[in-house]
Amino acid sequence: MEVFLIKLAQLILALSILILLHEGGHFFFAKLFGVRVEKFYMFFDWKFSLFKYKPKNSDTEYGLGWIPLGGYCKISGMIDESFDTEQMKRPAQPWEFRTKPAWQRLLIMIGGVLVNFLLALFIYSMILFHWGDTYVPVKDMTLGMKFNQEAKSYGFKDGDILVGTDKGAFKNFSADMYRDISEALRVDIIRNGKEMSIQMPGELNMLNMLKAQPTFVQPLIPNQVDSVMPGSTADKMGLKKGHRITGIDGKAVASFNEFTDQLARHSDMLITAKTAADSLKARTVTVSFASDSKQYTAKVVLNSTLKLGFVPVQLSSLYKPVTQEYGFFESFPAGVKYGCHVLGTYIDDLKYVFTAEGAKSLGGFGTIGNLFPADWDWYVFWRMTAFLSIILAFMNILPIPALDGGHVLFLLYEMITRRKPSEEFMIRAEYVGFGIVLLLLVVANLNDILRSLGIM
């Protein structure tokens, strides 16, 4: 429960910052051009609000809604998600959105997206200034990698050290590395101390590479125990720091990767179990382990999580990370470059959304919340907040009615043709767009529910 609350608190804080500043972008430009803002709300206040306040001599009511699906800035004389059509029947007033020049209305509409994107660049810059960029170079992972069967079909072997591709050298083990491999025509490696290259098709599906069990490639982790959780199954069976896992169910394992692969078979058995006997069989595991001089075997029954309760040696203890530090002024161009790279790769990866597996990968608030760590970590929190800010900016600028991008599309049409879309068309478009957004929210959060039930 504590882990859930920590993740929830991080999610709420991040979304609150992003929503507040996004709506603040609309608010700023509206006030700049003399447009009246009737409401400025964090979250939606359908039927009632948790809090509201209207300062004396102010046209704006500030408040906190009860539906945490976003926020809104209700601008006079504009057809938006409030669906207030009565105001549009009255004569246009000089303080209304609809009476302002198209270029001013355009800036008001892109204000939120602009703030979110600039915020992400600023956060990335401050992360680099405060923490620097710490990583383990892939070429320094001298134990090499563990590859799945698909990777081995292209010529990779366990223990190969990845160096780079025809696109350039690898930096660290990350999604960028996977992306480079998926698009590469050649992957450079070191095998048994010798440099060599493996030819690739250049059109692998990165999503399938990541979702495969086991994944296409992962760092090879020794089967040595770093620590054992007190009272856990591992503790009760006598597993101790320094022991090596040598086998599972009579099958030898040479790395922690192989150990987790074998446990995954039990997970598959547990998912398909129909009776209590099937479940018991799936949860029964025989583990072999050894010290320098002795060999041990223990037969244990695990709980539904199939966790023994030990931690293997960590990559941080195997390899020395490098840190690139940035001065205050150096951090800004580096942060801008990194933020633009994140946006570019996010847009590039959207092609997978239109596949069957991609649609299943869509996630709602549960998926987003699980991106945050179980312990409060400011470094991870700000990285995730910056990433979500970029996503929020991009999703809002999509040309879907009810989103900022839909309004921008109609404004560009007006600026090019010198003709305004009719108010009746705008109202209908708003309803259609709102329906699309709700459908996406339902699908994404339904995927979360199905994943939690083990159906997906």
Side-chain angles (χ1 to χ4, degrees):
M1 186 63 178
E2 181 183 356
V3 170
F4 170 78
L5 292 177
I6 291 174
K7 290 189 174 187
L8 179 63
Q10 292 178 87
L11 175 63
I12 291 175
L13 178 58
L15 291 180
S16 297
I17 292 171
L18 299 182
I19 291 168
L20 185 66
L21 292 177
H22 177 91
E23 299 304 329
H26 296 307
F27 184 90
F28 170 79
F29 283 105
K31 288 295 187 180
L32 180 66
F33 299 129
V35 177
R36 183 174 294 176
V37 178
E38 298 174 15
K39 283 186 172 184
F40 185 89
Y41 264 70
M42 172 74 71
F43 305 148
F44 295 125
D45 63 330
W46 184 65
K47 298 296 185 182
F48 70 94
S49 60
L50 299 177
F51 166 81
K52 60 182 178 182
Y53 170 69
K54 188 172 184 179
K56 189 176 180 180
N57 300 323
S58 174
D59 298 315
T60 307
E61 176 184 294
Y62 302 88
L64 179 67
W66 63 276
I67 306 177
L69 297 179
Y72 73 100
C73 190
K74 190 175 185 303
I75 297 173
S76 293
M78 175 183 167
I79 299 171
D80 60 11
E81 61 268 32
S82 67
F83 298 109
D84 183 4
T85 57
E86 290 302 314
Q87 63 172 326
M88 307 305 291
K89 297 177 182 178
R90 297 190 290 267
Q93 301 298 323
W95 61 77
E96 290 186 332
F97 178 82
R98 55 180 165 168
T99 62
K100 299 300 178 180
W103 68 270
Q104 292 186 4
R105 284 180 279 138
L106 182 64
L107 285 174
I108 292 171
M109 291 318 307
I110 67 172
V113 168
L114 181 63
V115 166
N116 278 135
F117 185 61
L118 292 177
L119 173 66
L121 300 183
F122 177 75
I123 292 175
Y124 281 132
S125 299
M126 291 300 95
I127 287 174
L128 292 174
F129 171 63
H130 189 271
W131 284 284
D133 186 12
T134 301
Y135 60 95
V136 175
V138 177
K139 64 180 179 60
D140 290 351
M141 295 183 176
T142 52
L143 292 177
M145 302 292 167
K146 182 75 175 176
F147 299 90
N148 68 7
Q149 288 305 313
E150 181 190 6
K152 289 176 180 177
S153 71
Y154 294 112
F156 293 103
K157 291 185 178 181
D158 291 340
D160 287 348
I161 302 171
L162 295 174
V163 177
T165 71
D166 49 300
K167 298 166 66 74
F170 294 131
K171 179 182 176 183
N172 57 350
F173 193 94
S174 64
D176 285 338
M177 188 195 77
Y178 265 88
R179 186 175 295 103
D180 286 349
I181 294 175
S182 71
E183 299 172 354
L185 296 174
R186 184 194 80 241
V187 176
D188 300 323
I189 63 170
I190 296 175
R191 179 181 296 169
N192 299 324
K194 297 180 179 179
E195 296 182 0
M196 59 182 297
S197 297
I198 293 176
Q199 302 306 309
M200 299 292 289
E203 51 185 20
L204 298 183
N205 186 302
M206 189 183 77
L207 182 62
N208 290 341
M209 292 169 66
L210 288 166
K211 287 176 68 68
Q213 292 297 327
T215 56
F216 188 90
V217 58
Q218 51 191 311
L220 196 151
I221 301 174
N223 54 357
Q224 188 171 345
V225 177
D226 180 71
S227 61
V228 176
M229 300 173 191
S232 65
T233 303
D235 187 27
K236 293 174 182 176
M237 62 188 262
L239 198 64
K240 299 184 183 302
K241 179 180 175 67
H243 280 168
R244 290 175 290 104
I245 304 294
T246 58
I248 182 168
D249 298 330
K251 297 180 180 179
V253 294
S255 65
F256 181 71
N257 310 76
E258 293 181 13
F259 171 76
T260 55
D261 291 346
Q262 291 298 325
L263 268 188
R265 299 178 187 274
H266 285 265
S267 179
D268 293 339
M269 292 168 57
L270 188 60
I271 291 173
T272 58
K274 290 184 169 49
T275 65
D278 292 339
S279 175
L280 179 62
K281 182 179 179 180
R283 292 184 292 110
T284 302
V285 181
T286 301
V287 181
S288 301
F289 56 100
S291 63
D292 291 336
S293 57
K294 293 184 179 180
Q295 181 78 32
Y296 307 90
T297 299
K299 189 173 184 178
V300 296
V301 177
L302 306 177
N303 61 22
S304 59
T305 64
L306 300 181
K307 301 294 184 183
L308 274 175
F310 76 93
V311 178
V313 290
Q314 301 296 292
L315 288 177
S316 57
S317 66
L318 296 172
Y319 308 115
K320 184 179 180 180
V322 299
T323 299
Q324 184 174 355
E325 297 182 347
Y326 294 87
F328 181 75
F329 293 107
E330 291 176 313
S331 67
F332 287 99
V336 169
K337 181 180 179 181
Y338 184 78
C340 291
H341 171 73
V342 171
L343 176 61
T345 54
Y346 177 74
I347 294 173
D348 184 60
D349 292 344
L350 280 178
K351 60 178 178 282
Y352 297 114
V353 173
F354 302 101
T355 65
E357 282 300 313
K360 292 179 183 178
S361 298
L362 286 175
F365 294 110
T367 297
I368 298 172
N370 281 325
L371 294 175
F372 290 96
D375 297 315
W376 198 291
D377 185 319
W378 283 112
Y379 171 76
V380 178
F381 171 81
W382 286 118
R383 280 186 66 94
M384 279 307 309
T385 301
F387 180 61
L388 292 176
S389 192
I390 282 181
I391 292 177
L392 183 61
F394 179 77
M395 296 303 291
N396 262 285
I397 205 62
L398 291 177
I400 299 174
L403 297 179
D404 296 343
H407 292 283
V408 169
L409 179 66
F410 296 136
L411 279 167
L412 291 175
Y413 168 82
E414 177 188 339
M415 294 171 75
I416 293 170
T417 65
R418 306 292 181 179
R419 293 167 52 195
K420 275 188 179 183
S422 69
E423 290 180 3
E424 182 180 356
F425 171 81
M426 293 292 289
I427 291 170
R428 289 181 178 179
E430 195 76 14
Y431 276 112
V432 170
F434 200 70
I436 292 172
V437 172
L438 282 178
L439 178 62
L440 289 173
L441 280 172
V442 169
V443 170
N445 286 284
L446 179 61
N447 282 352
D448 283 350
I449 295 172
L450 294 177
R451 274 191 286 268
S452 69
L453 295 174
I455 298 174
M456 285 182 62

